[in-house]
Amino acid sequence: MRNIHVAFVLILGLLYNCIGEDIINDTISEEIRFLNPVESISASETYKLNVRFFNNIGEEEMVTINWSSDNNSVASVNANGLVTGISEGNANIKAQATVNSKIVENTIPINITPDISGPKSEEIVFLNPKANIAVSETHQYNVKFYNGSGEEEVTDITWSSSNPAKVIVDVNGLVTGVSAGTATIKAETVINNKTIENTTSITINEAEENTNLKSGIIKTTSSYNLKGSFTLSEIKNSNNLLLAIESDYEASTSLPGLYVYLSNNPNSIGSALEIAAVTTFSGAHTYTINNKGINDYAYVLYWCKPFGVKVGEGEINN
């Protein structure tokens, strides 16, 4: 009987330690999130914007998106989010939805640069020049040939690299970084015994483990010590993410069943991704997250799993 009494007291103690006086509001503001914002395109160029809508509990939901531009003389946008550059200048592209009679919207600015297409002399134009790639990284160059009337014409293109020890290019214009350095990529064709060519410079950097980095600050939302900074990045040549907790991280060792999550709702783990149980309570450490995109979640959460109580959070910032 005494053993039963002791066990009951221990359970009450854990409940008090984990629950305390935390009060949680499970709802957040609805959000339209741009997945692929772009800073600029050229006049006559098009770019497809993609968005997701997250409801008031942080879950993705299918809604009808209405698109608009505040300056249609500079940039227009169709019903599917396809932006077309019209003339040089600036415009704001808005994505808007009406959910339960409430308007939810988000806006991004876009700069339209001068039109470089359709030259009036025979010319090869690079459509997607690339300034830098890493060792072992690839980039597919695309070009168009315009004849003397400024009309696009199909022709055979010959590709070459000025420095194959640094970067190689295949017959289709696919370049691969070989070692750190700089090279010039040439696209060439022969029309009526006349050689037309164009070149672009590319720099090869040492390979990096991660790209497309986001970061944030972990802060406690309870009476327990929890703090530190973190980064979230894409692992190169994979569909995985790396959550790196930095050296300034500290967490109380008094918390039973502490887990870390990724979520779109800072107040709930109902639809969150459980990463792992917390086993490191100070200093730098990492978590690998498989088959997730860097824009899929907005928060890192720390949660007392046995009792369903939030302990801390960190907003994922660009």
Side-chain angles (χ1 to χ4, degrees), residues 44-288:
S44 78
E45 185 182 357
T46 60
Y47 185 83
K48 176 69 168 64
L49 288 170
N50 297 307
V51 297
R52 288 181 183 173
F53 172 79
F54 294 91
N55 61 26
N56 63 359
I57 58 172
E59 294 179 338
E60 184 178 355
E61 188 176 310
M62 298 299 296
V63 299
T64 300
I65 300 294
N66 297 310
W67 295 89
S68 63
S69 167
D70 70 347
N71 195 343
N72 284 301
S73 64
V74 170
S76 64
V77 59
N78 71 8
N80 298 312
L82 183 68
V83 179
T84 301
I86 305 298
S87 62
E88 185 177 0
N90 297 289
N92 293 297
I93 304 299
K94 180 189 294 183
Q96 185 180 82
T98 301
V99 181
N100 297 325
S101 301
K102 179 181 178 181
I103 294 175
V104 183
E105 63 186 31
N106 198 357
T107 302
I108 61 166
I110 189 167
N111 172 252
I112 308 302
T113 58
D115 186 3
I116 61 169
S117 64
K120 299 306 179 182
S121 60
E122 292 175 325
E123 187 174 356
I124 294 172
V125 175
F126 279 88
L127 303 181
N128 58 338
K130 184 83 169 178
N132 301 275
I133 62 172
V135 172
S136 300
E137 187 179 356
T138 61
H139 177 68
Q140 176 63 59
Y141 279 114
N142 297 309
V143 297
K144 286 184 178 181
F145 171 74
Y146 293 92
N147 61 26
S149 300
E151 297 173 340
E152 183 183 350
E153 189 175 306
V154 177
T155 185
D156 293 328
I157 300 293
T158 302
W159 295 89
S160 62
S161 168
S162 67
N163 195 347
K166 303 300 180 184
V167 59
I168 57 175
V169 59
D170 70 8
V171 296
N172 298 310
L174 179 70
V175 297
T176 303
V178 177
S179 63
T182 301
T184 299
I185 303 300
K186 181 191 292 185
E188 184 178 65
T189 191
V190 178
I191 303 292
N192 298 325
N193 297 319
K194 178 182 178 182
T195 300
I196 297 99
E197 65 183 43
N198 198 0
T199 61
T200 185
S201 180
I202 189 167
T203 298
I204 310 304
N205 301 317
E206 294 291 348
E208 297 179 358
E209 182 182 8
N210 305 301
T211 57
N212 203 0
L213 188 74
K214 294 190 175 186
S215 62
I217 302 296
I218 300 165
K219 60 182 180 180
T220 186
T221 56
S222 66
S223 58
Y224 292 95
N225 182 38
L226 179 65
K227 62 182 180 179
S229 54
F230 68 89
T231 61
L232 183 67
S233 57
E234 295 174 332
I235 299 177
K236 193 172 182 61
N237 299 321
S238 77
N239 294 318
N240 305 330
L241 302 176
L242 185 72
L243 176 62
I245 309 300
E246 304 294 349
S247 59
D248 59 350
Y249 163 82
E250 293 179 11
S252 172
T253 58
S254 303
L255 287 161
L258 183 63
Y259 278 69
V260 60
Y261 297 81
L262 290 179
S263 178
N264 282 303
N265 186 344
N267 302 315
S268 172
I269 57 170
S271 58
L273 175 69
E274 180 180 299
I275 299 174
V278 174
T279 57
T280 302
F281 295 89
S282 67
H285 56 287
T286 62
Y287 301 97
T288 298

